[in-house]
Each structure stands twice: as C-alpha cells, then as structure tokens.
C-alpha cells in the first residue's frame, strides 16, 4: 500500500520549560502560564498570573475506541512534541507533510488579565516559535499568539508576526473575559489586518472560558468531549451572520479539531433562518452558506462523516488533522487511519482533504515527495 501523504490542520508543540525565563525579565516570566504535574501524572495545575486551575491529564494506557477498533490511548506521543528534529522524522514516518502547529501552554494565555503581560507573553512565544519552529522547516506552520485584551495590541502583533513569516494566528473559541464576542465591530481592525496580511484565523476547539463538563453522571465524559465541537459552530455562525466574512472576503477561518460534517449542517440552518426569519440583521448580500463554503475550513481526525461532507454535501474545505500528540489524534497510526478513511473515496476527494484544502491556505508548504495531483 502506497503511503498517503497528508497535511494536518491541527497539531501541537509543547513549549520548553525555560521559554518565559529565556525571553522575558524574571518578574514578568513568573506571571506567565506554567503547568505543574502531580507526582502521579494524573492531574496538572495550570498557574497563570496569580491564579490557577486543575486539569486532568490525558495519560495512561486506557483503551480508546477508534473506527470500530480498540487501540491504546496515546498520551504525549513521542519526543517530537518537544524536539523539532525528532518531529520531522516522525512526520515523515507518519506521512504528514505539513502541519499547523498550535502551542500548548500558549492555549492558556488568554487567561492573562493584564494587558502588558499579554503583550509580553505573545511576543515571547512568537519569538521562540519563530526561531525554533517556523525557521526550521517550511513544513511547520506555527500559529502566532496574539494579545487579545485590546484589539490594537492584537493588530500590532499580527502585523509583526506576518512580517516575520507567520501565516496564521491562534484564536480562542471564547475571547478573553470582558472582551466582546466575535460578531461585534470591536474586532473589525483585526479582521482587516488579517485579510490584508493574508493571515488565517485559526480557532482551536476546547478553548472556551467556561467549564466544558456540562453534564454530570451517566454519559458525562462523552458529553464533555462532544461539547467541544459546539464552540466551533458558534464561532462560525458569529463570523458569518455578523457579516465579518462578507466584509472581508479575503479572510479565511480554520476551525481545528472539531470535525467537519457539522459545517454543511450549520450552513443549512443559517440559510433556513434567512428563509424564515423576517428580521434578520444584517442581511448579507449572499446566503450564509456561500460565505461558509468559501471562507471556512475545518479539520477532523477520525470522523468517517468528514469525507461525505465533501464528497456528498459539496463542502470543499474539509481538512485532515493529526492532532499530534493528543489522545484524540492519529499518532502513531496515521497511515492506517488514512487508509481506512479513504478506502472508498475518489482520488479527487482524497487529494482535496489530505492536501488541496490545506494548500489553499498555506501554498508555501509545497508538495510531498511523489504526490499524485488530482
Ligand atoms: Mn488539537
């Protein structure tokens, strides 16, 4: 069986423990997000600027059910999570050509409440990721971190990042507490700057400000897992229905990790609102579905329904994502999973989902060896 090369719209790096102290004065560094794991490794405590919260670690050898098979749950994968050289070997072995790289600690940075601290933190993480990831290989597409407590600050760091070669920026599903939701005009300067700099707005699921464990008792674990997808839907609806994507036709949005077949569904629901609600405001020039299908991209790991989302529902912006190295991810079985997913798919569908959609956002990564064009 020939290797199926895929680009990944979702992967992660773990920042080195000395990141903040290397890039920031000690008094600033100690207020930055850090993770302290319990001795037994089951839980971690995340400390951010004087406050903290506890989080269960996805470790251990629980069994995990994937595509009808029981496999061992992966924890933090291999050392490629911290060592970029080893990572490239793993990418080659797994058949991942290029990948969007999200931070790990950086995902918590929106918990910072102080504007200057948020700026310093974003700059530090971007300086590190520029020198260690972005400059290492064009196959690695790290997302820039933005200080989101003030839109002008965010614009400034976006522009600085774009000028240094970043192609995407990380956006949390919820804006930092106290900031307006993404449908508000507050964010207009950021969307304008992103459009102008051709930077992709990369939202990663599970980055809400509120507890995602919405259910207690029977079924709670499954409910919490699925709950993370709803935030991706909310962001997409806000960006489309508010007219943000209409005003910025060059702005592309990526929703990472939450699956893809929900995209046609919410597009239909928004169109239905247009067809039945008299007081839609603003009323966009085109139907909501058209903005969704043109400007919204979504990455998935295992979901068999993601392939028919493109093949049968006509949504072209479906993108594979390995979610390396998380438990929900495909490492170390990426090839096996890709073969299962695309067993019944046409070459055109497979090419689009594994490479084409990604290349539309990040053409600079080029083609893998011996890639077969559609
Ligand atoms: Mn992920």
């Amino acid at each position: 069986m020939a290797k199926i090369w895929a680009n990944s719209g979702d992967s992660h790096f773990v920042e080195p423990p000395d990141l903040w102290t290397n890039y920031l004065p000690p008094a600033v560094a100690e207020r930055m997000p850090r993770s302290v794991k319990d001795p037994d490794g089951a839980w971690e405590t995340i400390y951010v600027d004087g406050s903290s919260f506890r989080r269960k670690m996805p470790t251990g050898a629980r069994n995990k059910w994937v595509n009808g098979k029981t496999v061992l749950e992966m924890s933090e994968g291999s050392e490629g999570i911290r060592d970029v050289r080893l990572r490239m070997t793993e990418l080659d072995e797994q058949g991942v050509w290029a990948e969007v790289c999200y931070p790990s600690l950086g995902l918590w940075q929106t918990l910072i409440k102080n504007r200057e601290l948020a700026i310093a933190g974003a700059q530090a993480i971007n300086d590190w990721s520029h020198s260690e990831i972005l400059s290492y290989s064009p196959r690695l597409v790290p997302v820039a971190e933005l200080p989101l407590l003030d839109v002008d600050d965010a614009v400034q760091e976006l522009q600085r990042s774009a000028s240094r070669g970043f192609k995407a920026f990380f956006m949390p599903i919820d804006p930092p507490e106290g900031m307006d939701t993404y449908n508000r005009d507050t964010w207009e300067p950021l969307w304008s700057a992103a459009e102008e700099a051709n930077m992709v707005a990369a939202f990663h699921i599970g980055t809400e400000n509120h507890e995602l464990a919405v259910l207690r008792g029977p079924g709670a674990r499954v409910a919490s897992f699925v709950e993370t997808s709803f935030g991706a839907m909310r962001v997409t609806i806000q960006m489309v229905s508010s007219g943000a994507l209409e005003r910025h036709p060059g702005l592309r949005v990526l929703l990472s990790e939450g699956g893809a077949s929900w995209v046609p569904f919410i597009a239909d629901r928004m169109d239905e609102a247009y067809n039945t609600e008299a007081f839609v405001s603003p009323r966009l020039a085109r139907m909501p579905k058209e903005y969704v299908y043109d400007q919204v991209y979504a990455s998935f790991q295992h979901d068999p329904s993601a392939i028919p989302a493109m093949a049968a529902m006509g949504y072209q912006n479906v993108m594979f994502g390995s979610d390396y190295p998380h438990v929900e991810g495909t490492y170390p079985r990426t090839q096996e999973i890709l073969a299962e997913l695309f067993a019944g798919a046409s070459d055109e569908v497979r090419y689009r989902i594994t490479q084409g959609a990604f290349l539309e956002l990040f053409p600079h990564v080029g083609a893998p060896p011996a890639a077969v064009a559609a």
Side-chain angles (χ1 to χ4, degrees), residues 10-12 102 204 256-257 301 323-324 326:
D10 174 29
S11 76
H12 298 263
Y102 285 93
H204 192 284
S256 291
E257 206 185 300
Q301 297 86 259
D323 196 25
Y324 173 87
H326 290 160

Side-chain angles (χ1 to χ4, degrees), residues 88-327:
M88 300 315 289
T89 311
E90 284 165 10
L91 292 187
D92 286 341
E93 172 199 287
Q94 293 291 302
V96 173
W97 176 247
E99 57 179 7
V100 174
C101 302
Y102 285 93
S104 294
L105 274 183
L107 293 177
W108 307 118
Q109 204 178 294
T110 51
L111 298 172
I112 294 173
K113 305 274 188 264
N114 175 285
R115 195 173 147 191
E116 275 63 46
L117 205 61
I119 296 172
Q123 286 177 350
I125 208 165
N126 293 340
D127 288 348
W128 168 78
S129 117
H130 178 266
S131 90
E132 299 301 315
I133 303 174
L134 191 147
S135 303
Y136 191 79
S137 166
R139 291 167 62 185
L140 303 173
V141 185
V143 296
E145 191 89 7
L146 302 183
L148 295 170
L149 289 173
D150 180 274
V151 176
D152 292 336
D153 296 347
V155 167
Q156 212 169 338
E157 187 58 20
L158 180 144
Q159 289 168 339
R160 188 181 81 103
S161 303
S163 73
R164 303 178 82 202
F166 284 87
K167 307 290 185 193
F169 56 101
F170 165 61
M171 290 294 284
I173 293 296
D174 281 344
E177 230 168 88
M179 288 296 286
D180 285 338
T181 45
Y182 297 127
N183 61 320
R184 298 284 182 177
D185 286 349
T186 316
W187 296 98
E188 272 301 298
L190 184 62
W191 310 143
S192 295
E195 185 181 32
E196 197 180 318
N198 200 21
M199 289 269 271
V200 174
F203 291 85
H204 192 284
I205 66 160
T207 49
E208 281 87 344
N209 289 335
H210 62 271
E211 176 71 59
L212 290 168
V214 290
L215 188 71
R216 307 288 170 199
R221 286 289 292 259
V222 172
S224 303
F225 186 94
V226 178
E227 185 71 24
T228 59
S229 295
F230 301 152
M233 300 183 201
R234 276 194 290 271
V235 165
T236 303
I237 293 163
Q238 290 173 22
M239 296 295 289
V240 172
S241 66
S242 66
L245 294 189
E246 178 180 64
R247 288 188 295 277
H248 305 284
L251 176 61
R252 273 92 50 91
V253 174
L254 170 63
L255 283 310
S256 291
E257 206 185 300
S261 49
W262 57 265
V263 181
F265 161 71
I266 61 138
D268 282 350
R269 291 295 290 157
M270 281 193 279
D271 278 6
E272 193 160 348
Y274 263 56
N275 291 330
T276 55
E277 296 288 326
F279 303 106
V280 168
S281 172
R283 192 162 276 273
L284 309 174
R286 297 191 291 155
M287 290 298 274
K289 187 175 198 164
E290 298 179 52
Y291 301 102
V292 175
Y293 276 37
D294 282 354
Q295 290 166 261
V296 176
Y297 294 71
S299 89
F300 73 102
Q301 297 86 259
H302 306 99
D303 324 25
S305 65
I307 286 93
M310 183 199 162
M313 300 180 205
Y315 172 52
Q316 299 292 311
N317 299 337
V318 180
M319 192 186 292
F320 174 73
S322 69
D323 196 25
Y324 173 87
H326 290 160
V327 285

